Amino acid sequence: MNHLNTNLQRKFYLKTLGCQMNEHDSEIIVGILTNLGYQQTEDHKQADLILYNTCSVRENPERKVYGQIGSLRMQKEQNPDLIIGICGCMPQQKAELDKILETLPHVDLVFGTHNIHRLPELLERVQTEERVVEVWDDTEEIAEELPIRRANRFKAYVNVIYGCNNFCSYCVVPYTRGREKSRRPQDILAEIKQLADEGYKEVTLLGQNVNTYGADLSQKTSFAELLALINDHSGIERIRFTTSHPKDMQEELIAAMAHLPKVCEHLHLPVQTGSDRILKRMNRHYTSAYYLDLVARIREAIPDISLTTDLIVGFPGETDTDFEKTLELIAKVRFSSAFTFIFSPRPGTPAAQMGDQVPDEVKKERIYRLIELQNQISLEYMQAQVGKIEEVFVDEITGKTNKLSGRTRTNKQVLFSGSPDLIGRLVQVKITEAKTWSLRGVLA
Ligand code: SAM
Ligand code: SF4
Ligand code: F3S
């Protein structure tokens, strides 16, 4: 109680970069700080504590952090009591941690992805110590029952598996998030049951590769079995998940998606490239033929499925012919949308060491061509939805147009007119118009 009183007026500013994992970790950080009596502010100048939850997947978000925290130096000089902290994926790499400590001397607190639950104690220490740095390489234990302040009232992220064992040759995540660790099914189910009781309608199950869920548990449970458990026993209305590695996408999971009514018809299945040569160098463990066959099997089982993907251009050694294969693959699969990335060499990963790096101009030209083709395909996918009646989960009113905004089961945004009372409900909407990124409709 004492703690709460002393911190009553304190404000924190939290900046989150990176993937849904980090967004969800930030919900825990907000939960912990709120319990300590802190109040969140959107204005860093008002804050007593400024915290950056960082991402290392590409160079750009890292550069942003050095720039933004660098420019906080003045604020710290004016207010020496201000606490500036960095957490998340950047400090998990030794070289980056050293760089943070050296180039950002006004940073008081550094912790990593494995010890967020230690934040209250670290904040105590920072009151008396010059600088508090606590980063764990990995952890055996999963901290359960942490406070969570969720960003949305109806949709929730739920971790099912932490870490990654795959070591794709370009990727830093296995180094920042440690080895795969599954949560126990009973803990996941209890969390989702509680969410349903509190009025939540939708969960997104999170993992770098949910397809290997449960392999490390003493009582083995597959991801398909976990989905069935949540479908049958949690009371939640919609189930989503991300991400699936193609190499681990089993028939059992395809069948579960086809048969479990609450599991939505959307699958994010990152392919990265259409070139077998590059797939091999990426250490992805599948070929484009395998991927196309997998897509055919998925579509046969779940005809209405929306497939989305991640693509990287300019991986070391990628020739024009390799790149053409990526264009061919996306034209064949016809993803409803894709995240497209320019390869960014990450220190410590094998791909950064490869000799034949692709020049920046070539990378840029390729990504423009890729985006142009994918946008065309995305628009055609959206146009094909016109005339359909879709179940839409209503999220919010959009500021600009004053329309309701919601998501189809395939995770496409739909804008339509209606009463704000519908927010948080599932409604039927007739699709009347298509744009590349969203649909328009009328209540059916
Ligand atoms: N575990 C997920 C997976 O396997 O797809 C997500 C990994 S990462 C957070 C999301 C995407 O970032 C990857 O699918 C990949 O396309 C991209 N990515 C990862 N490392 C990259 C790098 N060094 N350069 C460019 N893009 C990268
Ligand atoms: Fe990175 Fe590959 Fe793991 Fe995804 S599966 S997080 S791309 S190493
Ligand atoms: Fe970035 Fe870490 Fe996620 S590196 S993409 S925040 S796991």
Side-chain angles (χ1 to χ4, degrees), residues 57 163-174 208-209 243 245 272 282-284:
V57 80
C164 180
N165 291 355
N166 288 307
F167 291 92
C168 301
S169 64
Y170 50 82
C171 186
V172 81
V173 172
Q208 295 300 341
N209 179 14
T243 301
H245 196 307
Q272 312 299 358
M282 286 179 165
N283 198 30
R284 290 288 289 179

Side-chain angles (χ1 to χ4, degrees), residues 148 150 157-158 183 187-195:
I148 305 177
R150 299 186 188 268
Y157 289 132
V158 176
R183 279 179 80 192
D187 291 331
I188 297 168
L189 188 63
E191 181 177 344
I192 299 177
K193 264 188 183 158
Q194 194 188 335
L195 287 167

Side-chain angles (χ1 to χ4, degrees), residues 85-245:
I86 298 192
C87 62
C89 287
M90 277 171 71
Q92 288 294 148
Q93 305 151 89
K94 181 75 178 73
E96 216 59 59
L97 177 61
D98 290 346
K99 188 172 162 194
I100 290 168
L101 297 179
E102 202 183 301
T103 63
L104 300 171
H106 53 302
V107 164
D108 313 275
L109 170 66
V110 184
F111 58 100
T113 56
H114 304 294
N115 58 344
I116 293 173
H117 59 283
R118 302 244 320 128
L119 183 54
E121 192 168 333
L122 299 177
L123 278 173
E124 286 273 4
R125 279 176 49 197
V126 97
Q127 306 295 339
T128 53
E129 294 174 36
E130 186 69 16
R131 198 177 221 189
V132 175
V133 180
E134 188 182 284
V135 181
W136 297 357
D137 285 342
D138 205 339
T139 176
E140 296 294 315
E141 300 276 304
I142 294 178
E144 291 290 347
E145 314 221 343
L146 294 173
I148 305 177
R149 261 292 171 113
R150 299 186 188 268
N152 189 291
R153 277 192 302 149
F154 305 109
K155 302 199 284 194
Y157 289 132
V158 176
N159 280 323
V160 299
I161 179 168
Y162 298 90
C164 180
N165 291 355
N166 288 307
F167 291 92
C168 301
S169 64
Y170 50 82
C171 186
V172 81
V173 172
Y175 307 92
T176 66
R177 294 276 168 173
R179 295 296 70 72
E180 289 178 1
K181 278 171 297 293
S182 303
R183 279 179 80 192
R184 298 185 314 163
Q186 56 269 43
D187 291 331
I188 297 168
L189 188 63
E191 181 177 344
I192 299 177
K193 264 188 183 158
Q194 194 188 335
L195 287 167
D197 288 345
E198 288 168 7
Y200 281 83
K201 297 288 192 308
E202 181 179 303
V203 289
T204 301
L205 311 178
L206 295 181
Q208 295 300 341
N209 179 14
V210 293
N211 297 20
T212 47
Y213 171 81
D216 58 317
L217 292 173
S218 52
Q219 246 188 325
K220 299 240 179 313
T221 308
S222 69
F223 186 59
E225 286 165 347
L226 180 70
L227 285 179
L229 201 65
I230 300 168
N231 184 85
D232 298 345
H233 299 292
S234 72
I236 207 80
E237 294 191 27
R238 278 183 170 188
I239 306 168
R240 302 186 184 283
F241 56 87
T242 196
T243 301
S244 295
H245 196 307

Side-chain angles (χ1 to χ4, degrees), residues 230-424:
I230 300 168
N231 184 85
D232 298 345
H233 299 292
S234 72
I236 207 80
E237 294 191 27
R238 278 183 170 188
I239 306 168
R240 302 186 184 283
F241 56 87
T242 196
T243 301
S244 295
H245 196 307
K247 77 174 164 56
D248 300 311
M249 188 82 205
Q250 307 292 341
E251 282 305 323
E252 187 200 14
L253 177 54
I254 302 174
M257 290 188 76
H259 296 125
L260 299 172
K262 295 182 176 169
V263 177
C264 289
E265 292 76 26
H266 170 219
L267 182 64
H268 188 62
L269 194 64
V271 66
Q272 312 299 358
T273 169
S275 157
D276 290 343
R277 210 172 62 81
I278 300 296
L279 279 169
K280 190 148 201 195
R281 287 171 64 110
M282 286 179 165
N283 198 30
R284 290 288 289 179
H285 297 282
Y286 55 84
T287 62
S288 57
Y290 165 86
Y291 189 91
L292 289 170
D293 175 63
L294 175 60
V295 164
R297 285 185 279 129
I298 293 167
R299 285 209 165 118
E300 195 178 0
I302 315 150
D304 291 335
I305 196 139
S306 156
L307 290 171
T308 57
T309 203
D310 292 346
L311 297 159
I312 297 178
V313 300
F315 186 84
E318 185 188 71
T319 62
D320 282 337
T321 318
D322 292 316
F323 174 64
E324 294 293 337
K325 295 210 163 118
T326 298
L327 296 179
E328 277 168 31
L329 182 125
I330 69 167
K332 274 187 196 147
V333 177
R334 301 186 63 79
F335 296 104
S336 65
S337 69
F339 295 109
T340 51
F341 305 107
I342 288 181
F343 169 72
S344 170
R346 304 287 56 224
T349 62
Q353 250 76 73
M354 292 178 185
D356 33 6
Q357 299 287 327
V358 175
D360 280 350
E361 314 81 70
V362 178
K363 286 181 182 170
K364 275 193 195 132
E365 197 222 301
R366 285 183 188 162
I367 198 146
Y368 288 139
R369 285 181 61 198
L370 183 66
I371 290 172
E372 200 185 343
L373 176 59
Q374 181 54 48
N375 282 355
Q376 178 60 36
I377 295 169
S378 297
L379 180 62
E380 285 165 16
Y381 171 89
M382 296 299 249
Q383 283 165 342
Q385 310 310 307
V386 174
K388 289 189 185 168
I389 292 178
E390 292 282 333
E391 178 197 280
V392 172
F393 175 60
V394 191
D395 285 319
E396 57 175 8
I397 285 205
T398 59
K400 277 188 217 137
T401 56
N402 215 21
K403 297 230 166 185
L404 294 177
S405 167
R407 296 264 163 180
T408 62
R409 288 178 61 93
T410 52
N411 206 28
K412 297 301 169 201
Q413 189 189 23
V414 186
L415 299 174
F416 59 101
S417 300
S419 154
D421 296 346
L422 295 177
I423 293 173

